[in-house]
Amino acid sequence: MSLPIVLVSGWAMPATVMEPLAEALDGDGRVSVVQLPGLVWERKKYDWKQLLDYLDMHLLETPVILIGWSLGGTLASIYASQNPDKVAGLVTLGCNPCFVRNQDWSEAMLPQTFESFYAGMQEDSAATVDQFSLLCSMGNSNRKEVAKNLQSAVRRDADLESTILLQLLKLLGASDVRSQLADIRCPVVHCFGKDDALVPSDTGKRIEQDYPAHNVLMMEGGHCFFLDHSTGAIRQVADQVNRLCNRS
């Protein structure tokens, strides 16, 4: 019997954004997408523990193959490190162990860039999420199409809850999952877009250096490289997931 596959969406992005990848992976109806809080009206506060509980609640059958995009990949990495019996394989998409640069990790976003983006969310969350959609699409050969689809998905599929999005953005800015990555027992694959506007391409090289047991794939495209059909990225991710399923 094949393993269930669970995709975890990224910050500010509804589950529908990941449907093209889910469809490519769904051979027998055992693929689902978990949408992070923030694009639904939930008057709650979230920290990592609550997010882990939130993800666990959506895993109806284990063990699973977890696939997390950006913040979703950070959450999936923490979950895999803490729940080795529930995760048979982990795939991260455009996910940096440290989203913001620090003294020990230079392959990340500049602090002042993150602070400017955070301030934008406080001032005008809707406009800033639109800007974020543009940043996600940069580097893709179908950039205009992806940006339009991301913006439409946010407006169509969800009610923007800026308070929760700010909480999650703050968690992302302070995230450092290097120790958790070292603790993960299952096979791990990290996929990056060569022209990602949010995660420097050198991140892949650093992960290869620090985590030799993990596999790293560099693909054509940006932060949404898995939505660029012309590059075959979806097929590459699907092949990696199939390998993980066969190993389990």
Side-chain angles (χ1 to χ4, degrees):
M1 182 175 67
S2 63
L3 293 172
I5 299 170
V6 176
L7 289 77
V8 188
S9 68
W11 179 83
M13 291 292 140
T16 52
V17 169
M18 302 195 76
E19 283 182 357
L21 179 56
E23 290 172 1
L25 296 169
D26 197 1
D28 54 7
R30 292 167 62 78
V31 177
S32 59
V33 184
V34 176
Q35 177 172 289
L36 292 177
L39 291 178
V40 289
W41 190 259
E42 295 185 39
R43 296 181 180 273
K44 290 184 66 176
K45 291 184 177 181
Y46 284 92
D47 55 23
W48 286 116
K49 183 182 183 306
Q50 289 169 322
L51 286 176
L52 290 166
D53 291 342
Y54 175 87
L55 176 56
D56 189 67
M57 179 180 66
H58 286 82
L59 303 186
L60 304 180
E61 181 183 353
T62 58
V64 303
I65 302 294
L66 269 184
I67 305 172
W69 173 37
S70 198
L71 175 58
T74 302
L75 178 60
S77 297
I78 299 173
Y79 188 89
S81 72
Q82 295 185 7
N83 300 276
D85 296 335
K86 293 185 176 182
V87 182
L90 171 68
V91 179
T92 71
L93 310 173
C95 178
N96 203 331
C98 299
F99 191 75
V100 176
R101 185 178 301 184
N102 58 48
Q103 289 183 340
D104 301 320
W105 193 272
S106 61
E107 298 81 0
M109 179 182 291
L110 290 172
Q112 54 267 38
T113 302
F114 180 82
E115 290 165 7
S116 175
F117 187 82
Y118 189 88
M121 275 298 295
Q122 292 176 307
E123 294 169 8
D124 189 337
S125 58
T128 303
V129 172
D130 264 357
Q131 177 191 359
F132 179 67
S133 298
L134 293 174
L135 289 171
C136 286
S137 68
M138 289 177 63
N140 278 32
S141 64
N142 58 342
R143 175 179 58 83
K144 291 183 179 180
E145 176 190 352
V146 169
K148 181 180 179 181
N149 290 342
L150 293 181
Q151 291 171 339
S152 297
V154 171
R155 295 166 185 162
R156 179 185 66 246
D157 298 333
D159 296 319
L160 190 66
E161 175 47 89
S162 59
T163 302
I164 297 176
L165 287 181
L166 276 167
Q167 293 174 27
L168 300 188
L169 187 59
K170 188 173 183 179
L171 286 177
L172 181 61
S175 62
D176 184 345
V177 296
R178 288 175 290 174
S179 63
Q180 285 89 347
L181 289 180
D183 291 339
I184 294 175
R185 302 178 192 174
C186 67
V188 183
V189 180
H190 303 281
C191 303
F192 297 97
K194 293 179 181 178
D195 297 305
D196 194 324
L198 298 168
V199 178
S201 59
D202 287 346
T203 304
K205 297 177 182 177
R206 180 67 183 272
I207 289 179
E208 286 181 322
Q209 172 188 312
D210 291 5
Y211 306 95
H214 295 192
N215 291 325
V216 174
L217 270 70
M218 300 300 301
M219 303 185 184
E220 300 296 331
H223 201 56
C224 284
F225 61 87
F226 56 90
L227 294 179
D228 195 334
H229 297 278
S230 66
T231 64
I234 285 183
R235 187 68 264 155
Q236 287 180 277
V237 174
D239 288 344
Q240 291 299 317
V241 173
N242 288 333
R243 290 189 182 96
L244 293 179
C245 289
N246 291 335
R247 290 178 61 177
S248 302

